[in-house]
Amino acid sequence: MKLLILNRLDVVHLLPMEVCLELVAEGLEALGRGEAVNPLRPIMWLPDKRGLLGLMPGYVEGREALGLKVISIFPGNHGTEYDSHQGGVLLFDTEHGCLRALIDAGAVTAIRTAAASGVATRLLAREDAGDLALLGSGVQARTHLEAMRVVREIRRVRVWSRTTAHVQVFAKEESERQGVAIEVVESVQEAVEGADLICTLTASPKPILMGDWISPGAHINAVGASISTTRELDTAAVVGSRLFVDRRESTVNESGDFLIPKKEGAIGEDHIVGEIGEILLEQIGGRTSGEEVTLFKSLGLAVEDVVPAHYLYHRAKEEGVGTWVDFGDDVDEE
Ligand code: NDP
């Protein structure tokens, strides 16, 4: 049997943001219809908390996408030549359970996370939203700029990040690569003043975005905090927003942005208006006025990985991209 290996460049080549947005929407819709399996993810920390391994299995009916993303998160890698998120997506077939592909998980995560924010923004942001604040200047900031430009006409981009040298490199490289002017600002408050699209994309364990600074009508994608003990938004920011999530079960178990205000007694579970998949399926509505603040809390789901992985496998075969190696049972098929 043959196993297909797709590296970072293969993924970037085969998975444009526009395509990934539709794939992620497909995964979230399947989840909403109850046609996907997406258990809560086990996380295994190294004893000294230097890094962790996250295990994300998922299955989407219809497409028959079955896989497991294993991702290491080593935040200390940021600013070095190593990414903070590395690993592989293992794609299996559902006929015999054969391992079919091993795909660069860092690349998939970079694109699909921004695509999920793109889907949410398309559904929830005001039609005329286009004043974008990016908080953070890492991998996710790069792909989020791309995704926001796919779903809205962006007229202004401000970016803030903790480390001046990093944000300056980000602004130079991404303004050249994406052909947009990017303003570097010195504080979060300066970045979000009057912004109608805000993406929080940092590994900060404590709030960086305060409710008082958010303008009426803004849409926020809160992406950076993925565990129950960290958050990027203060309580006022969450209380003052209509909260939409990728998945309720994940949010009430894994999201510090939700659980910390809940523990303080500021919100209950009914603060979650619904899931993005439910909006896609028109089971619930999204924004109800131009004035309200909408908040998408993204935790990241396996369905957002396995649908793109399945697509990548078939696209790669069509285009002759990737590397094949002999692997597994001695069966003569790809
Ligand atoms: P990178 O390692 O590439 O970038 C990390 C970013 O976080 C940098 O902009 C860095 O700022 C900033 N940062 C780190 N520590 C702090 C701090 N204490 N205060 C303020 N800013 C800080 O990571 P990614 O871009 O890949 O990921 C960003 C975040 O998103 C991570 O927390 C990651 O776990 C999360 N994530 C969430 C996903 C989801 O599905 N929701 C999927 C993938 C990632 P600077 O460089 O200026 O110091």
Side-chain angles (χ1 to χ4, degrees), residues 12 37 45 55 77 100 113 122-123 125 150 177-178 181 205-206 240 245 254 256 273 277 289:
V12 170
V37 183
W45 286 93
L55 308 180
N77 286 352
R100 293 296 182 184
T113 306
R122 194 160 64 184
L123 294 167
V150 169
R177 187 172 77 90
Q178 302 199 40
K206 294 195 189 122
V245 300
E254 296 173 355
V273 180
S289 81

Side-chain angles (χ1 to χ4, degrees), residues 129-202:
D131 186 335
L132 171 64
L134 297 171
L135 307 180
S137 61
V139 169
Q140 288 296 334
R142 292 173 192 265
T143 50
H144 271 74
L145 176 55
E146 229 178 299
M148 294 304 107
R149 294 182 65 231
V150 169
V151 297
R152 285 294 181 271
E153 189 102 10
I154 300 298
R155 51 181 188 277
R156 185 179 187 195
V157 181
R158 280 170 283 179
V159 58
W160 166 87
S161 198
R162 179 186 59 170
T163 309
T164 309
H166 294 168
V167 72
Q168 281 168 348
V169 170
F170 171 88
K172 182 173 184 308
E173 289 181 356
E174 291 305 312
S175 58
E176 280 169 16
R177 187 172 77 90
Q178 302 199 40
V180 283
I182 299 175
E183 300 167 41
V184 173
V185 296
E186 284 180 5
S187 69
V188 172
Q189 194 169 358
E190 221 183 307
V192 303
E193 193 181 1
D196 45 27
L197 289 176
I198 302 171
C199 300
T200 67
L201 309 158
T202 75

Side-chain angles (χ1 to χ4, degrees), residues 89-275:
V89 182
L90 300 173
L91 182 76
F92 294 83
D93 73 39
T94 56
E95 197 180 350
H96 301 292
C98 304
L99 181 60
R100 293 296 182 184
L102 169 61
I103 305 172
D104 187 304
V108 171
T109 302
I111 301 168
R112 69 70 150 145
T113 306
S117 295
V119 172
T121 303
R122 194 160 64 184
L123 294 167
L124 292 171
R126 284 199 325 238
E127 280 301 324
D128 64 351
D131 186 335
L132 171 64
L134 297 171
L135 307 180
S137 61
V139 169
Q140 288 296 334
R142 292 173 192 265
T143 50
H144 271 74
L145 176 55
E146 229 178 299
M148 294 304 107
R149 294 182 65 231
V150 169
V151 297
R152 285 294 181 271
E153 189 102 10
I154 300 298
R155 51 181 188 277
R156 185 179 187 195
V157 181
R158 280 170 283 179
V159 58
W160 166 87
S161 198
R162 179 186 59 170
T163 309
T164 309
H166 294 168
V167 72
Q168 281 168 348
V169 170
F170 171 88
K172 182 173 184 308
E173 289 181 356
E174 291 305 312
S175 58
E176 280 169 16
R177 187 172 77 90
Q178 302 199 40
V180 283
I182 299 175
E183 300 167 41
V184 173
V185 296
E186 284 180 5
S187 69
V188 172
Q189 194 169 358
E190 221 183 307
V192 303
E193 193 181 1
D196 45 27
L197 289 176
I198 302 171
C199 300
T200 67
L201 309 158
T202 75
S204 175
K206 294 195 189 122
I208 53 162
L209 177 61
M210 309 302 163
D212 283 352
W213 303 340
I214 300 165
S215 295
H219 171 71
I220 305 161
N221 296 305
V223 176
S226 313
I227 55 173
S228 61
T229 51
T230 66
R231 61 172 171 166
E232 294 183 289
L233 275 58
D234 77 347
T235 297
V238 178
V239 169
S241 305
R242 293 188 70 230
L243 173 61
F244 296 84
V245 300
D246 42 18
R247 188 163 176 245
R248 268 196 193 77
E249 186 188 4
S250 302
T251 308
V252 302
N253 282 286
E254 296 173 355
S255 170
D257 278 310
F258 171 76
L259 288 168
I260 298 170
K262 180 170 175 263
K263 199 168 165 198
E264 291 171 359
I267 55 172
E269 284 195 18
D270 59 355
H271 193 62
I272 301 173
V273 180
E275 298 179 351

